[in-house]
Amino acid sequence: MLSYLPQRTYNVTVNESGLPTGTEWNIHLGNGQSASTTESNYSFQLFNGTYTLQASTGAGYYSSPSVHTFTVDGNNTTVVVTFLKYSYNVTFIPAGLPAGLHFVVTFGNRTENISTSGGSATNAVFKAYNGTYGFSVSNLTSYYTEEYSGTVHVNGHSTNISISFEHYAYISGALLPGNASLYINGKKISTNSGDFNVSVTAGNYTVIAKENGYDTYYNNLSLNPGQSANLQINLNPIGQKENRTELIEFSGFLSALVIVSGAILYIRRSR
């Protein structure tokens, strides 16, 4: 007489790590069994054999590796599933820089040093989870960008940020008297005994120089990227032109008077 013993099952515990407490996650076995739980572990009763397991969640995480393979061989078994956050590329793409320059991109609490070569700059690539991050660009000398700082929103996909650079324009020159005050678009500019050299972005500028006792100097400039304006500013004492004009007029009066007097004297002598 033949007798059959029932096939024994063993406890297989699936432990997860990496998920925030209370996050729901799903387990799918290759034999068709599945389960969902918000606990950090879940148990199956399985016969001896080899199984595959996939774990998933909808909370912005993925399991690594994506498929687990394990064997039940007469003993209880534990399978550990590790969840990792999805990360996305945030790529900063510079444009307008020549070779041989160096600048820094700070993204969140991470920093990348970027050098240009071959007429273009290497892209700065950061890995980031979903969220909002601040960024800044620094360490530039001859070039500037309107995107010095800003905010990046990462939401389920990679993001590209283009940064366009322009060459500074320059306003330089000398100011006499050297203690006169210089203003560019209303901002007072420091001078060194009258000498000045100012880096500005491309655009329109009004230059004013003034000092007590002198006529005020005005000049409107329009500068393109990389363009320089060299100004030699000599302030005239107030009334200098008027005094010169009066001297000329007075000299003319004297000349006329001499001519008239000579004519009268000539007529008298003729008589």
Side-chain angles (χ1 to χ4, degrees):
M1 179 179 177
L2 296 175
S3 61
Y4 296 92
L5 295 176
Q7 189 174 4
R8 182 179 173 181
T9 61
Y10 298 90
N11 189 65
V12 176
T13 301
V14 183
N15 293 330
E16 70 82 13
S17 67
L19 290 178
T21 301
T23 301
E24 184 177 36
W25 55 292
N26 310 302
I27 307 167
H28 304 277
L29 298 180
N31 66 355
Q33 290 181 262
S34 63
S36 296
T37 182
T38 56
E39 301 295 328
S40 61
N41 58 72
Y42 189 87
S43 295
F44 295 91
Q45 295 296 316
L46 298 176
F47 300 113
N48 285 335
T50 299
Y51 299 84
T52 59
L53 179 152
Q54 291 179 288
S56 63
T57 181
Y61 291 77
Y62 66 97
S63 66
S64 179
S66 59
V67 178
H68 296 261
T69 300
F70 64 93
T71 299
V72 178
D73 187 16
N75 293 289
N76 295 331
T77 301
T78 299
V79 179
V80 178
V81 175
T82 300
F83 283 96
L84 301 174
K85 271 188 175 183
Y86 280 109
S87 63
Y88 306 93
N89 287 341
V90 178
T91 303
F92 291 86
I93 305 173
L97 292 177
L101 294 183
H102 168 81
F103 67 99
V104 176
V105 178
T106 299
F107 175 75
N109 59 359
R110 290 166 288 170
T111 298
E112 286 284 344
N113 296 299
I114 308 299
S115 296
T116 62
S117 61
S120 62
T122 303
N123 296 340
V125 182
F126 298 87
K127 291 286 187 180
Y129 306 125
N130 286 338
T132 300
Y133 302 85
F135 75 88
S136 63
V137 180
S138 60
N139 204 37
L140 292 170
T141 53
S142 300
Y143 287 76
Y144 68 94
T145 175
E146 300 295 339
E147 297 89 15
Y148 272 117
S149 62
T151 301
V152 180
H153 302 285
V154 180
N155 186 21
H157 56 81
S158 296
T159 302
N160 293 334
I161 300 171
S162 296
I163 304 177
S164 297
F165 292 93
E166 295 282 0
H167 201 294
Y168 278 112
Y170 303 97
I171 302 175
S172 61
L175 175 61
L176 288 176
N179 62 339
S181 297
L182 179 68
Y183 299 85
I184 298 178
N185 280 5
K187 180 180 178 180
K188 189 172 184 178
I189 304 301
S190 297
T191 64
N192 182 13
S193 299
D195 294 333
F196 57 92
N197 190 355
V198 184
S199 299
V200 296
T201 59
N204 299 318
Y205 294 90
T206 298
V207 179
I208 298 175
K210 57 186 178 179
E211 176 59 26
N212 291 333
Y214 292 83
D215 289 325
T216 300
Y217 168 92
Y218 297 92
N219 196 353
N220 293 315
L221 304 174
S222 182
L223 298 175
N224 296 318
Q227 188 176 4
S228 297
N230 187 272
L231 307 177
Q232 302 301 314
I233 304 173
N234 297 317
L235 298 184
N236 294 315
I238 292 176
Q240 185 181 72
K241 291 182 179 180
E242 289 77 4
N243 290 339
R244 186 181 299 114
T245 301
E246 290 172 359
L247 179 60
I248 292 171
E249 291 175 350
F250 182 68
S251 299
F253 172 75
L254 289 177
S255 298
L257 182 60
V258 169
I259 293 172
V260 171
S261 298
I264 293 173
L265 181 60
Y266 174 80
I267 293 172
R268 286 180 177 178
R269 288 180 177 179
S270 298
R271 290 179 180 178

